[in-house]
Amino acid sequence: MLELFRQKYTPETLPYHLVVPSLPGFTLSGTPSVSHDISQKDVARIMDNLMKRLGFGEAYVAQGGDVGSRVARMLAVDHDACKAVHLNFCPISRPTSAVNDSALSEIEQEGLERWESWKATGTAYALEHATKPGTIGFVLSSSPLALLSWIGEKFLDWTDTPLPLHTILEASSLYWLSKCAHSSLWSYRHVWVIRSFRQYAILQALLTSHLR
């Protein structure tokens, strides 16, 4: 998103105030206390308070992707000063009425194929973050090569076109130098944790059915 602003405006012609905070536990923000389980709802409250303290208590717009997309949606629902949101990540379930894909455009059908492929082979990282954040956190915090591999594959696999190497190295270095490889995983616990053996059994049945 910031690159689009850089391409269209100069610092002198930029018509907006852009505030780019790091979420708690990520890069330039502090590490949340391990004695308090901070949720994404807490993060939304913190972000709203930040915007008010910066002078935007009347109105602001939030943009979010990945974890930030959930925070942005909570801002829109729970905080009156957030007047609109822009999301570049917003997964939804397929409607039960959507049984015929023939009317979809070629790019929409390709998108569905990528979504099905990602569900089958690309979600293991999130389950690892959610269910074993300490284990994978120790691994990523102890080796810059492991961290680069973990982050770099997402930049290569999830983008429409592979990003330049220096962009991947820049992002990975920021996580390494700010020592947040472990704490940046914690928020997944509130979204992905499977809370019962019954839910686990349902998930396994769905995956087995999908892979047949």
Side-chain angles (χ1 to χ4, degrees), residues 70-205:
R70 291 182 59 83
V71 174
R73 279 177 279 169
M74 291 174 183
L75 282 168
V77 172
D78 297 332
H79 301 279
D80 293 339
C82 183
K83 302 303 182 183
V85 296
H86 177 276
L87 307 175
N88 55 294
F89 180 74
C90 188
I92 58 175
S93 300
R94 184 186 180 97
T96 55
S97 59
V99 295
N100 182 8
D101 294 342
S102 61
L104 299 178
S105 67
E106 181 178 349
I107 191 171
E108 289 172 330
Q109 293 186 22
E110 291 177 355
L112 285 177
E113 291 176 3
R114 287 182 63 180
W115 168 243
E116 293 298 327
S117 175
W118 183 78
K119 285 194 297 183
T121 64
T123 58
Y125 84 96
L127 289 173
E128 180 75 16
H129 288 186
T131 60
K132 298 292 185 291
T135 303
I136 188 63
F138 277 125
V139 173
L140 300 181
S141 299
S142 63
S143 168
L145 182 58
L147 183 62
L148 175 60
S149 300
W150 197 254
I151 294 176
E153 70 167 6
K154 278 73 174 176
F155 278 107
L156 296 175
D157 191 42
W158 292 353
T159 53
D160 293 326
T161 55
L163 295 176
L165 178 60
H166 72 83
T167 300
I168 298 174
L169 292 173
E170 183 181 68
S172 301
S173 297
L174 183 57
Y175 275 77
W176 178 258
L177 295 174
S178 61
K179 300 180 180 179
C180 74
H182 62 301
S183 58
S184 63
L185 313 180
W186 294 350
S187 63
Y188 280 78
R189 293 175 298 182
H190 298 278
V191 183
W192 284 85
V193 168
I194 303 170
R195 301 185 183 278
S196 70
F197 286 109
R198 181 175 178 274
Q199 288 176 298
Y200 180 78
I202 292 173
L203 177 60
Q204 286 292 95

